[in-house]
Amino acid sequence: MTDLAGFWRHTPRLTVLAVAVLLITGGLMALASERAYREERAGDVEVQARILAATVTAALSFNDRTAAGEYVAALSASPEFEAAGVYDGNGAMFATHTAGGMQPMLAFAEPPGRHFDGGHLTVTVPVMQDGRAIGSVSLRTQVEPFARRAERYVGMALLLAMTVLIVLVLGAAQAALARANRDLAERARDLSTANEALNAEIAEREKVEAALRQSQKMEAMGQLTGGIAHDFNNLLQALAGCLQLVGRRAKEPSIQPLLETGQQAIDRGAKLVQQLMAFARRQTLRPEPMDVRDRLLGMADLLTRAIRADITLETELEPGLWPVEVDPTQFELAILNLAVNARDAMPEGGQLHITARNRPAGDAGIEGDLVQVTVSDTGTGMEPEVKARVFEPFFTTKEVGKGSGLGLAQVYGFTRQSSGRVEIDSAPGRGTAVSLFLPRTAKPVAAPAAERALDTGCGGDRHLLLVEDDPIVGSMVAAALEEIGYAVLRAANAEEALGLLTDGDLRIDILFSDVVMPGPMNGVDLAHAARRLRPGLPVVLTTGYSEDVARIEGVRVLPKPYRVGALAELLDAVLAAEGDLTLTR
């Protein structure tokens, strides 16, 4: 201390000025470093936000909140993000994810840009499609507290000042050198720690990217299979209608077995289409509150017939199972598909175990109350590369002719469309367990209703406008309706149908139209336009898709391919309740 006091007494003013200049330079360097840190940090987060924005483009475009939620939830694998949000074109929340203990994102989107708020950084970027913004994505992360960075900057300035002091105060040179060595060692340790953290972050990022790639692949395959199923539905509809018309006219008894065989082939094709549509999440579901325990117990005989005698079926159902709101038919089909797969995986016999239990929120990180249904076997199990592809449509390890590869695809699509998820646990030699996680519902389970006999329908003196762009399907349906007794007017598209509807002298008692048609107007648009032109006109729609129809309340469903009797019954019901707009598939 005595040496330092003497230094300040005898140091020329020029030296003091040099020290001041160095301190000012250090401050400027600190400001530059602060600006560079903020830019670099914001740039890294913006890259992640733009990746997420590109990923959720399809989900926003198709209004698929489930897929968007999965993309956002995938960010949970990276601990650096506090919260993430996807917003629609109106700025309203579309999907969000918040890390444990963190504040959620705002309900409405912030303007695009970088927003620093204390120790937090929020980056918002638009989601672009065809050159226009259809929504936005926001990511929030923590930044290093300014106080801590300021300590480093002050240290830098002091280090510069001490360098001058070391040069001027020769007596303190040795102490300054020791201090510099200690700082160097500390920085080396910090560098080693930072390198380990960087490697861990790279590994986590690779996991997230792999999950995103898998999700994108499944989404693309869903779109492809959905389109194939739609075209296949039209072919099956034409074949089914033709067979039914031939059956009405055929008098030769020997023809009936051939017609029945053809109808069975069509029914098998329709089942395959339903499985394809389930995977693509375009299958029309009829969800209703359902008692899982009663449904599984009622399937016991069916499952026993589906498996072999050398396989033992065991069920373990927890008392007081919560109800779930799903399509009972699709639920039974999913369980049956899992049972058949388990049977084929146990060629020498074994055990098929079906369990169901409640999984309350918070149990092992579960969000929301769920009911878990697990179908497990003691079979051969799966290799990791097979396990990674089991939910892909048409993927199968069975011999040719022994499997379509659509069973697990139907299970995957059904659970996703029911707002649930499916998990698989398998390894070679220790069997396979597939678990369905279905959300609990607060709605009461209704008593089963008695089935109503199918009427053949009677058109009477009714005039029907048929709108169908497929000429084969249109001809078949028109012939079937005319045979029932309807006077049929035909149109190939919505514009042609509107021309007929605007003719006030033309009698039209009911409109029957496909939904998916070429041109600017689809069946739903035509239905609204028809009701404006002719208030109270009954309308029935049919299609292989559900997206357009599902947005309208009071939807009734008649999926393709349908039987003539079912169509006749629906038309009679709509005409009986004239004035109600009925939309069916």
Side-chain angles (χ1 to χ4, degrees):
M1 291 296 292
T2 304
D3 293 339
L4 288 176
F7 164 76
W8 285 111
R9 282 196 304 270
H10 301 291
T11 298
R13 292 182 177 179
L14 184 60
T15 302
V16 175
L17 180 60
V19 173
V21 170
L22 287 174
L23 289 174
I24 294 173
T25 303
L28 295 176
M29 291 178 62
L31 291 176
S33 298
E34 171 66 10
R35 183 179 295 105
Y37 169 81
R38 292 166 70 97
E39 288 294 328
E40 180 181 5
R41 185 61 178 154
D44 291 343
V45 177
E46 184 173 348
V47 169
Q48 293 297 320
R50 293 192 180 280
I51 292 175
L52 179 58
T55 304
V56 301
T57 301
L60 274 173
S61 178
F62 290 95
N63 197 27
D64 192 342
R65 294 178 178 270
T66 302
E70 292 171 356
Y71 298 145
V72 176
L75 294 173
S76 62
S78 179
E80 69 173 321
F81 295 108
E82 291 183 351
V86 178
Y87 301 88
D88 60 21
N90 297 322
M93 180 66 71
F94 189 77
T96 184
H97 171 76
T98 305
M102 300 298 177
Q103 289 292 328
M105 299 296 294
L106 296 176
F108 292 91
E110 295 185 16
R114 305 169 176 179
H115 312 284
F116 284 89
D117 181 16
H120 304 278
L121 165 63
T122 302
V123 175
T124 301
V125 299
V127 178
M128 305 298 295
Q129 184 181 55
D130 298 332
R132 65 185 185 88
I134 63 173
S136 62
V137 166
S138 293
L139 290 182
R140 190 177 72 235
T141 184
Q142 286 186 336
V143 296
E144 188 179 22
F146 178 79
R148 188 177 301 172
R149 300 196 302 276
E151 291 177 359
R152 291 200 303 270
Y153 302 152
V154 171
M156 294 171 57
L158 290 176
L159 183 60
L160 289 173
M162 290 305 298
T163 302
V164 176
L165 293 175
I166 290 170
V167 174
L168 298 176
V169 184
L170 297 178
Q174 185 175 1
L177 181 61
R179 187 164 50 253
N181 288 336
R182 289 195 299 271
D183 291 343
L184 183 61
E186 183 178 353
R187 288 179 178 274
R189 288 193 298 270
D190 292 343
L191 181 60
S192 177
T193 302
N195 186 52
E196 293 176 359
L198 179 61
N199 291 334
E201 181 179 348
I202 291 174
E204 291 295 334
R205 183 171 299 180
E206 289 176 350
K207 291 181 181 179
V208 173
E209 291 175 351
L212 288 175
R213 285 194 297 270
Q214 178 67 12
S215 178
Q216 291 168 350
K217 180 179 73 172
M218 297 296 279
E219 183 69 22
M221 295 183 69
Q223 294 177 3
L224 174 63
T225 54
I228 294 173
H230 174 261
D231 294 336
F232 197 36
N233 259 334
N234 279 337
L235 297 177
L236 291 176
Q237 180 62 64
L239 288 173
C242 289
L243 283 181
Q244 293 174 59
L245 291 176
V246 171
R248 286 173 176 264
R249 292 174 171 80
K251 305 301 182 181
E252 180 66 35
S254 61
I255 296 180
Q256 294 304 317
L258 298 177
L259 295 177
E260 293 175 0
T261 301
Q263 187 61 52
Q264 290 174 2
I266 291 174
D267 291 341
R268 289 181 61 188
K271 181 179 178 181
L272 291 176
V273 170
Q274 288 178 356
Q275 291 177 324
L276 281 170
M277 297 294 278
F279 172 79
R281 285 183 286 166
R282 292 174 178 173
Q283 173 67 27
T284 300
L285 298 183
R286 299 174 178 85
E288 61 184 56
M290 185 190 76
D291 189 313
V292 176
R293 180 184 182 87
D294 289 348
R295 187 66 57 169
L296 290 176
L297 291 177
M299 293 182 64
D301 292 340
L302 174 63
L303 294 174
T304 301
R305 292 194 298 269
I307 60 178
R308 300 186 307 273
D310 58 354
I311 297 177
T312 302
L313 174 63
E314 298 179 354
T315 58
E316 183 181 345
L317 309 179
E318 179 181 287
L321 282 175
W322 295 324
V324 298
E325 187 174 8
V326 298
D327 186 319
T329 301
Q330 291 296 319
F331 174 80
E332 291 184 355
L333 180 59
I335 299 300
L336 183 60
N337 282 331
L338 294 177
V340 170
N341 276 2
R343 176 200 66 190
D344 296 340
M346 297 183 287
E348 299 179 358
Q351 291 183 342
L352 177 63
H353 198 196
I354 299 179
T355 62
R357 63 191 181 108
N358 295 329
R359 297 296 300 274
D363 184 5
I366 289 179
E367 296 183 4
D369 293 338
L370 300 174
V371 176
Q372 177 182 352
V373 180
T374 302
V375 179
S376 57
D377 61 63
T378 57
T380 56
M382 303 179 190
E383 298 288 346
E385 56 271 18
V386 175
K387 177 183 173 182
R389 299 186 59 192
V390 291
F391 294 124
E392 296 179 8
F394 304 112
F395 175 79
T396 180
T397 58
K398 300 177 183 179
E399 299 178 7
V400 176
K402 292 189 176 181
S404 63
L406 291 175
L408 287 176
Q410 182 272 336
V411 174
Y412 174 86
F414 160 71
T415 52
R416 293 286 298 280
Q417 200 170 359
S418 301
S419 301
R421 71 176 192 276
V422 58
E423 295 181 358
I424 186 167
D425 181 19
S426 182
R430 64 178 185 88
T432 299
V434 181
S435 297
L436 311 182
F437 294 86
L438 302 173
R440 174 187 184 182
T441 181
K443 299 179 181 179
V445 178
E451 293 187 3
R452 177 170 173 255
L454 178 64
D455 299 326
T456 58
C458 181
D461 185 23
R462 296 286 191 173
H463 291 70
L464 180 144
L465 174 57
L466 171 63
V467 187
E468 172 60 64
D469 63 292
D470 190 308
I472 297 177
V473 176
S475 298
M476 180 277 301
V477 175
L481 291 173
E482 288 172 350
E483 186 162 316
I484 293 173
Y486 285 93
V488 179
L489 297 172
R490 290 186 56 184
N493 52 52
E495 289 75 12
E496 185 176 336
L498 285 177
L500 297 174
L501 289 167
T502 53
D503 186 352
D505 297 329
L506 191 61
R507 176 182 172 185
I508 299 175
D509 298 315
I510 187 168
L511 170 65
F512 179 50
S513 173
D514 193 3
V515 169
V516 180
M517 293 184 293
M521 294 182 65
N522 59 20
V524 177
D525 300 328
L526 174 60
H528 290 304
R531 294 305 296 272
R532 288 193 296 269
L533 290 172
R534 300 195 178 197
L537 176 67
V539 179
V540 175
L541 302 183
T542 181
T543 182
Y545 287 99
S546 63
E547 288 86 347
D548 293 328
V549 178
R551 291 196 297 267
I552 303 176
E553 295 182 359
V555 173
R556 293 178 60 186
V557 177
L558 180 65
K560 288 184 179 180
Y562 51 81
R563 294 177 181 261
V564 174
L567 173 59
E569 179 187 21
L570 179 59
L571 293 176
D572 289 348
V574 173
L575 286 169
E578 189 169 337
D580 293 334
L581 174 60
T582 303
L583 301 178
T584 69
R585 294 185 57 194

